[in-house]
Amino acid sequence: MKNTIWIWIHQRDGLIDDITFGLVQEARELAADMADTVSIVAIAMGIDLNDPLDDDQENANPLNLLGGCGVDRVIQFKGSSASTYHGESVARALSGVMEKERPLFFLMAHDADTADLAPRLAAMLQLQVVTRAVDLSVNDQIPTAVRPIANGHLFETRTYNCRTSLIVTLLPNVLVSSGREPDQERYRDEKNNIVIHQIDLQQNEEQDFKTRIISTIEAEPENLDITEADIILAIGRGVGKQAGNETALDSVYELARLLGASVAGTRPVIDRGDLPFERQIGQTGKTVTPRLIINCGISGANEYTAGIEKSKQVIAINTDARARIFRFASLGIVGDFDLILPLLIKRLIQLKDIG
Ligand SMILES: Cc1cc2nc3c(=O)[nH]c(=O)nc-3n(C[C@H](O)[C@H](O)[C@H](O)COP(=O)(O)OP(=O)(O)OC[C@H]3O[C@@H](n4cnc5c(N)ncnc54)[C@H](O)[C@@H]3O)c2cc1C
């Protein structure tokens, strides 16, 4: 059987997320490193692969886009449970196919679902797993991964056994989406050549699973995972300098509630314990893609802006007019955030009262 590399298709509201194309690119690079003919297999869950073809590439038929970017085959989950991730059923369904096919790699971007799936599959099949990798390559046929440790202050490089499949989750911000641009020839032709292999995802109730999905609860915007937030209020070391941290944080949460925003921060804010690590934006934190991000008291270091580049509207508030963050902002305010914050809260309350 031909060697394969598997990738997990990441989607948002049924549309394929850009990071999926970064995974395809990564798979193509690994295949090139191995100088081997490797086919790329994409695992689809919660996506209608038969969406009507649209000339607009953003909404193009998923098969057409995947095929154009280099995917040879799609394994699609079907069944009524296929729209919601349930770790035990997905891992059980995939493990059977994986055992037979023994892909060289199974690549995923690191998110809440794959952070569950990757170790689960590895444990079931006794395979190696690497989580939160920032780089993956094959040197002399030996897989090598680099991953941050100690909250991103250090990086470790590890090599792995090449005789069994390697399951890898990669940090989303390293998955640049240059692979999204489909090869025009393949883009036109591949839709009909791509092979679809469907597998059943059993209903939770029918199986002897230890867990069951009872209901899905929407998180309050301020607590929402920052990778899913529509509006983000991001704070840096400059916030709370004058007002005192605790008072400033209370006001930050009040402003976030009024805006319907999720709160995130830079590494110094996480290091001083004001926000948990999962709220860190940047190279060693998360990549965010909100409609609006408001950066308060943030200088805009490379390692931070790497995580906000895909935001649609960027606002920055900083006392230093030369701060790098302003290069990324469509609206910049030079001023003291500790003074601006109560004014914003007051104005938003007034607007809500008028509304
Ligand atoms: C390997 C590596 C990985 C890293 N990964 C990350 C990462 O993932 N995420 C991350 O964020 N950083 C990361 N960093 C750290 C990064 O280099 C910066 O040090 C960090 O982003 C700076 O955070 P900051 O903007 O909050 O603080 P600072 O750079 O100190 O900036 C504070 C800003 O606040 C402004 N300010 C001060 N007072 C006020 C006020 N009252 N009102 C308004 N503005 C005010 C100042 O003018 C200044 O611009 C990493 C570093 C390394 C070496």
Side-chain angles (χ1 to χ4, degrees):
M1 190 190 282
K2 197 173 175 185
N3 279 331
T4 56
I5 295 179
W6 286 16
I7 61 142
W8 178 257
I9 298 181
H10 292 259
Q11 54 95 16
R12 199 186 270 199
D13 301 329
L15 285 180
I16 299 179
D17 200 297
D18 264 3
I19 51 175
T20 303
F21 299 97
L23 287 171
V24 178
Q25 170 102 337
E26 195 70 34
R28 280 160 51 181
E29 284 169 16
L30 285 172
D33 281 353
M34 289 179 290
D36 200 354
T37 23
V38 176
S39 51
I40 300 175
V41 179
I43 314 297
M45 185 177 166
I47 296 179
D48 181 359
L49 293 171
N50 298 314
D51 263 355
L53 184 63
D54 187 326
D55 280 345
D56 173 10
Q57 202 169 297
E58 282 290 309
N59 302 309
N61 180 303
L63 279 183
N64 203 267
L65 263 179
L66 290 166
C69 293
V71 170
D72 302 288
R73 182 154 56 94
V74 174
I75 295 178
Q76 186 188 23
F77 289 111
K78 63 180 172 78
S80 56
S81 307
S83 56
T84 314
Y85 176 83
H86 175 256
E88 281 177 279
S89 56
V90 173
R92 193 173 291 182
L94 274 183
S95 62
V97 193
M98 209 171 164
E99 207 163 21
K100 269 195 228 130
E101 207 162 284
R102 298 186 178 277
L104 299 168
F105 295 93
F106 186 3
L107 309 180
M108 316 167 190
H110 194 90
D111 66 15
D113 292 347
T114 59
D116 174 89
L117 179 63
R120 205 181 265 284
L121 267 177
M124 284 171 85
L125 297 171
Q126 298 289 294
L127 296 175
Q128 314 165 96
V129 62
V130 190
T131 56
R132 307 185 71 251
V134 291
D135 190 40
L136 181 65
S137 54
V138 177
N139 304 308
D140 295 330
Q141 305 301 316
I142 296 178
T144 305
V146 180
R147 59 189 298 273
I149 52 172
N151 259 2
H153 290 274
L154 298 169
F155 289 87
E156 66 171 12
T157 303
R158 284 189 183 218
T159 55
Y160 296 85
N161 182 339
C162 55
R163 283 186 291 277
T164 61
S165 308
L166 182 58
I167 302 174
V168 185
T169 72
L170 290 136
L171 285 181
N173 49 355
V174 299
L175 293 167
V176 283
S177 57
S178 51
R180 191 191 169 103
E181 289 305 319
D183 173 319
Q184 287 308 313
E185 285 305 309
R186 288 188 66 123
Y187 183 60
R188 273 198 295 276
D189 298 340
E190 281 304 295
K191 180 177 170 248
N192 298 323
N193 296 342
I194 203 164
V195 180
I196 305 179
H197 170 173
Q198 290 193 320
I199 51 176
D200 266 320
L201 203 58
Q202 297 297 324
Q203 291 272 10
N204 299 335
E205 301 81 39
E206 292 170 11
Q207 297 272 333
D208 52 339
F209 294 135
K210 294 188 181 68
T211 53
R212 213 153 43 90
I213 298 172
I214 296 165
S215 66
T216 309
I217 304 164
E218 292 268 329
E220 289 295 323
E222 64 184 278
N223 299 323
L224 196 68
D225 187 309
I226 57 173
T227 58
E228 289 173 22
D230 206 30
I231 305 176
I232 293 179
L233 184 63
I235 55 172
R237 194 174 354 224
V239 172
K241 271 199 161 169
Q242 292 172 25
N245 259 352
E246 269 176 35
T247 338
L249 273 182
D250 286 346
S251 307
V252 164
Y253 278 108
E254 188 179 354
L255 180 59
R257 272 191 291 278
L258 287 163
L259 289 166
S262 186
V263 179
T266 59
R267 188 155 97 179
V269 173
I270 281 44
D271 284 349
R272 74 186 179 202
D274 283 350
L275 291 176
F277 178 58
E278 73 254 21
R279 304 220 149 251
Q280 178 178 318
I281 294 177
Q283 194 189 79
T284 46
K286 290 182 174 171
T287 295
V288 292
T289 53
R291 194 162 46 83
L292 170 67
I293 181 164
I294 308 174
N295 299 280
C296 315
I298 293 174
S299 59
N302 268 330
E303 296 85 359
Y304 172 77
T305 54
I308 64 161
E309 277 165 1
K310 290 181 187 149
S311 308
K312 291 215 167 57
Q313 292 289 331
V314 178
I315 296 179
I317 305 174
N318 197 303
T319 41
D320 178 2
R322 290 166 306 155
R324 185 174 181 271
I325 192 72
F326 287 126
R327 293 191 214 162
F328 297 82
S330 39
L331 173 69
I333 302 166
V334 179
D336 184 337
F337 181 68
D338 292 334
L339 300 178
I340 294 169
L341 178 66
L343 300 177
L344 279 175
I345 291 176
K346 196 171 155 198
R347 184 71 183 127
L348 282 167
I349 291 173
Q350 275 173 356
L351 287 173
K352 285 209 187 272
D353 287 346
I354 296 167

